[in-house]
Amino acid sequence: STIGGLDHLGSCLTSLNLSSNRIQVMGGLCHLRRLETLDLSCNEISAIDDLAALGSLRRLLLSYNRISSLAGLLQSHGGPLEALEAYGNQISLLREAEYLRGLPRLGSLVLFRHGATNPVCGEPGYRARLVSLLPQLRTLDGVATTASR
């Protein structure tokens, strides 16, 4: 299924929880220009998309989906995104973190929590490489990054 019927809420909606709705495609979000928090966790999303118009987005929750790439976050580069949760997905390559480099305010990244993980979390040097690549991070997987520097 897809996201629809939100056009009339664009001028006032700041937080939207669409978790556990069997959503497969991120679409229909372009009118939500004031949206600061978007929860699409526990769905069936395989690709991050339709974020370009969300210029106020600070918190993006995408855990427990079918996401294998972070490339869709290129649409948010330079924006105010501060927190990304994407544990319980299928992200397997460390190079996916390159797509997060254009998010200067990203302070919290969660790819592993409560036993829910991504294949990339088991890669040798996972934590050190992400902290090095993303020096703006304050926490990675719920743990302060200063301890790993």
Side-chain angles (χ1 to χ4, degrees):
S1 66
T2 61
I3 303 166
L6 301 174
D7 299 356
H8 64 286
L9 299 173
S11 63
C12 59
L13 197 63
T14 59
S15 182
L16 181 61
N17 184 338
L18 292 172
S19 63
S20 303
N21 276 289
R22 296 186 176 177
I23 295 168
Q24 297 173 331
V25 178
M26 290 177 67
L29 302 171
C30 62
H31 298 287
L32 306 177
R33 300 190 191 290
R34 291 191 179 185
L35 198 64
E36 295 178 9
T37 300
L38 177 59
D39 187 349
L40 289 169
S41 58
C42 301
N43 279 294
E44 300 171 2
I45 297 167
S46 59
I48 300 171
D49 198 13
D50 206 32
L51 297 176
L54 305 183
S56 299
L57 192 64
R58 297 183 184 287
R59 190 164 183 242
L60 181 58
L61 309 176
L62 294 171
S63 297
Y64 298 108
N65 275 288
R66 300 175 180 170
I67 297 166
S68 60
S69 177
L70 299 173
L73 290 168
L74 286 171
Q75 301 170 38
S76 295
H77 275 197
L81 191 65
E82 298 171 353
L84 173 64
E85 293 186 7
Y87 54 92
N89 277 291
Q90 300 167 4
I91 302 162
S92 59
L93 302 173
L94 275 169
R95 71 174 175 235
E96 290 296 323
E98 292 282 340
Y99 296 116
L100 304 176
R101 294 185 80 182
L103 302 169
R105 295 185 181 149
L106 187 66
S108 174
L109 174 62
V110 183
L111 297 177
F112 174 83
R113 179 179 281 164
H114 309 303
T117 189
N118 282 278
V120 69
C121 300
E123 290 292 312
Y126 155 77
R127 183 173 178 81
R129 288 180 63 187
L130 259 70
V131 169
S132 174
L133 185 66
L134 306 168
Q136 75 275 28
L137 282 183
R138 293 183 313 279
T139 63
L140 174 59
D141 300 331
V143 178
T145 56
T146 53
S148 61
R149 290 188 179 170

